[in-house]
């Protein structure tokens, strides 16, 4: 049975090519080349090659020169140089120029080749993990940079509004004028409260393990209906709920609520002003060990140019309602933790439909 990783062996001696493949083809996926031109073509067609064995004395190009030349286009494979003789000058040049991981003397022995492969593969895996961690670290750094700016901006604005209203209020004797200022202060504090809720969701997603429990969608959606009852009465928006739960579903209730509230909050906030028969629909079908949740509305919709960006941190597609740019970003990260997926269909001035599929745990 072949290993999952691939090896390229380059040598101008046909016997060595045949011998290498015959000895190791049952343990690894082996590609062979008799010259560096052929080897380069193989690297282009097989980008997952992990280890390159190359003879130093090649007729068209020295092994060191070849390994140095391809490093820019193929930086990941671990390089091992085959040589019948190596003086100190060759060793230094190989390390400095060819970035050689190891030397193997010719004629080689199977045990030495196996040892070189095992060490090279460990080094390859370690480098790959480091590369992934570096990408994650850079992403985290970029998010932290945006986060710091957003916090300083979005927290300061409502606080500044309240402080300004307080200073003005101290100068007024009229109750009506003070009531106007209190209304402004109320709006600022509501905005601040929403921002704090978004921060809570943001950090909820960074906790460790999932907290699983059996989910009763009738009960969960009943609580949600009650939560939005005041909004639907005051804004004259019909809120339709449908639950079809055919089997038991296990999930993280807090993350499910996070997803639902963010999607529904947007559906209510971005209704078309003055439009008749406004609605928001929420449904779930639980079957085949997964929950399919659909949230739809007939609101302002999303422009096609923004559909691919709506899940980015701090992105706001519309200025109709004050958003913090956390909502859909948090939804996507919650679904990553739940191994779920989300699709969006939207047309400007016609509405938006989000379809979420989450497997039962």
């Amino acid at each position: 049975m072949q290993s999952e990783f691939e090896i390229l062996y380059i040598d101008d001696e046909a016997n060595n090519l045949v011998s290498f493949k015959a000895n190791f083809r049952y343990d690894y996926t082996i590609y062979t080349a008799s010259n560096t031109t052929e080897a380069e073509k193989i690297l282009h067609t097989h980008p997952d090659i992990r280890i390159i064995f190359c003879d130093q004395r090649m007729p068209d190009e020295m092994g060191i020169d070849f390994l140095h030349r391809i490093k820019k286009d193929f930086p990941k494979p671990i390089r091992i140089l085959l040589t019948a003789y190596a003086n100190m000058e060759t060793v230094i040049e190989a390390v400095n120029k060819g970035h050689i991981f190891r030397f193997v003397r010719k004629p080689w022995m199977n045990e030495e080749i196996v040892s070189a492969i095992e060490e090279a593969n460990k080094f390859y895996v370690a480098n790959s993990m480091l590369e992934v961690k570096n990408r994650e670290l850079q992403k985290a750094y970029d998010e932290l940079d945006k986060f710091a700016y957003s916090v300083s901006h979005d927290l300061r604005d409502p606080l500044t509004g309240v402080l300004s209203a307080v200073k003005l209020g101290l100068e007024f004797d009229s109750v009506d004028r003070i009531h106007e200022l209190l209304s402004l202060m109320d709006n600022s504090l509501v905005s601040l409260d929403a921002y704090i809720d978004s921060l809570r969701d943001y950090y909820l997603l960074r906790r460790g393990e999932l907290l699983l429990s059996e989910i009763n969608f009738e009960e969960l959606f009943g609580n949600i209906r009650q939560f939005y009852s005041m909004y639907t009465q005051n804004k004259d928006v019909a809120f339709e709920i449908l639950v079809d739960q055919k089997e038991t579903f296990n999930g993280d209730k807090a993350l499910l609520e996070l997803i639902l509230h963010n999607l529904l909050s947007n559906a209510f906030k971005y209704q078309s002003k003055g439009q008749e028969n406004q609605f928001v629909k929420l449904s779930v079908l639980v079957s085949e060990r997964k929950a399919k949740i659909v949230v739809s509305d007939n609101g302002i919709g999303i422009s096609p140019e923004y559909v691919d960006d709506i899940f980015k941190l701090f992105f706001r597609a519309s200025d109709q309602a004050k958003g913090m740019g956390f909502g859909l970003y948090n939804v996507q990260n919650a679904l990553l933790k739940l191994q779920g997926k989300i699709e969006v269909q939207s047309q400007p001035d016609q509405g938006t439909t989000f379809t979420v599929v989450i497997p039962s745990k």
Side-chain angles (χ1 to χ4, degrees), residues 199-228:
L199 290 180
R200 178 204 62 200
D201 291 345
Y202 182 85
Y203 283 103
L204 172 65
L205 293 168
R206 271 143 183 79
R207 74 182 186 202
E209 297 178 354
L210 298 174
L211 301 179
L212 300 179
S213 62
E214 185 175 325
I215 305 298
N216 182 326
F217 279 96
E218 287 281 3
E219 180 182 337
L220 179 60
F221 282 17
N223 293 336
I224 286 174
R225 181 190 292 278
Q226 185 176 2
F227 182 87
Y228 288 99

Side-chain angles (χ1 to χ4, degrees), residues 33-46:
S34 59
N35 57 69
T36 57
T37 301
E38 182 183 354
E40 195 166 358
K41 290 179 180 178
I42 292 173
L43 287 168
H44 277 290
T45 55
H46 299 281

Side-chain angles (χ1 to χ4, degrees), residues 49 70 82 119 137 195 209 233 241 255 273 312 327 340:
I49 288 174
I70 65 168
L82 302 166
E119 289 181 16
L137 183 62
Y195 191 80
E209 297 178 354
Q233 292 172 16
I241 291 180
L255 292 185
K273 295 180 179 179
K312 292 180 180 178

Side-chain angles (χ1 to χ4, degrees), residues 273-291:
K273 295 180 179 179
Q275 177 179 312
E276 295 183 355
N277 301 318
Q278 299 179 66
F279 69 77
V280 173
K281 296 180 180 180
L282 169 64
S283 67
V284 63
L285 170 62
V286 183
S287 65
E288 299 178 353
R289 296 189 55 76
K290 63 178 180 291

Side-chain angles (χ1 to χ4, degrees), residues 138-153:
Q138 184 61 49
K139 180 182 177 183
Y141 178 82
D142 292 341
E143 287 185 3
L144 180 62
D145 191 43
K146 293 179 182 178
F147 183 79
Y149 172 79
S150 176
V151 167
S152 63
H153 180 271

Side-chain angles (χ1 to χ4, degrees), residues 5 57 84 106 116 150 166 234 238 256 281 320 328 348 361:
F5 67 87
R57 296 284 181 175
K106 295 177 68 178
S150 176
V166 169
N234 295 333
L256 282 172
K281 296 180 180 180
Q320 175 167 307
L328 292 179
K361 297 296 180 183

